[in-house]
Amino acid sequence: MTAFQTQKTIATLKRLDRLARFLDSAYRIPFTKIRIGWEPLLDVVPAIGPLLTHGLSGYIVYEAWRHGAPNALLARMVGRIGVDTLLSVTPVLGWAADIFYKANLANMADLRAHLEGAPVVRPRARAYRAGPVRAAA
């Protein structure tokens, strides 16, 4: 990677970080440690709000694709946006869930780890079995 590409990648990461913070944690609720972004605020506006905020979330995924993110990472990012969209559909409960579910910040953390070459660390699901798996006779 050339110095120009590195500077361009750094500039893109800074821009996308600002967008993710804008959507998920732009402001702190006074007297609490809870941060709220524009996504739950705009989701109150029917149709236009969710379309706008999830479109901006999709832009983060597009930029990840443009910077060569692997398909597994892109699928995980789209999955988070899908969960966020499903949470947002419910009128009051969805708005509250949007305050605590920060899909864009999680997507940016994974994208940053990928572009910086650090492995993405996440807990693995454990398979619970009662005993060894046996082939049918």
Side-chain angles (χ1 to χ4, degrees), residues 4 16 21-22 30 56 61 68 75 78 85 89 95-96 98 106 111 123:
F4 175 72
L16 294 177
R21 280 194 313 274
F22 171 78
L56 291 171
V61 176
V78 169
T85 302
V89 173
W95 301 330
D98 262 341
L111 178 59

Side-chain angles (χ1 to χ4, degrees), residues 27-63:
Y27 307 105
R28 188 177 59 82
I29 296 175
F31 309 110
T32 69
K33 292 184 180 182
I34 298 172
R35 297 195 63 84
I36 186 171
W38 279 97
E39 183 173 0
L41 299 175
L42 289 173
D43 278 349
V44 174
V45 179
I48 296 170
L51 186 64
L52 177 66
T53 58
H54 295 114
L56 291 171
S57 297
Y59 175 71
I60 293 173
V61 176
Y62 167 74
E63 284 291 330

Side-chain angles (χ1 to χ4, degrees), residues 24 39 54 57 60-61 72-88 98 101-111 120-123:
D24 286 346
E39 183 173 0
H54 295 114
S57 297
I60 293 173
V61 176
L73 176 59
L74 294 173
R76 196 166 41 247
M77 293 173 80
V78 169
R80 282 190 192 116
I81 294 172
V83 168
D84 194 22
T85 302
L86 289 175
L87 288 173
S88 299
D98 262 341
Y101 189 72
K102 313 284 188 191
N104 297 305
L105 292 176
N107 284 344
M108 279 309 301
D110 280 357
L111 178 59
V120 177
V121 178
R122 68 182 16 76

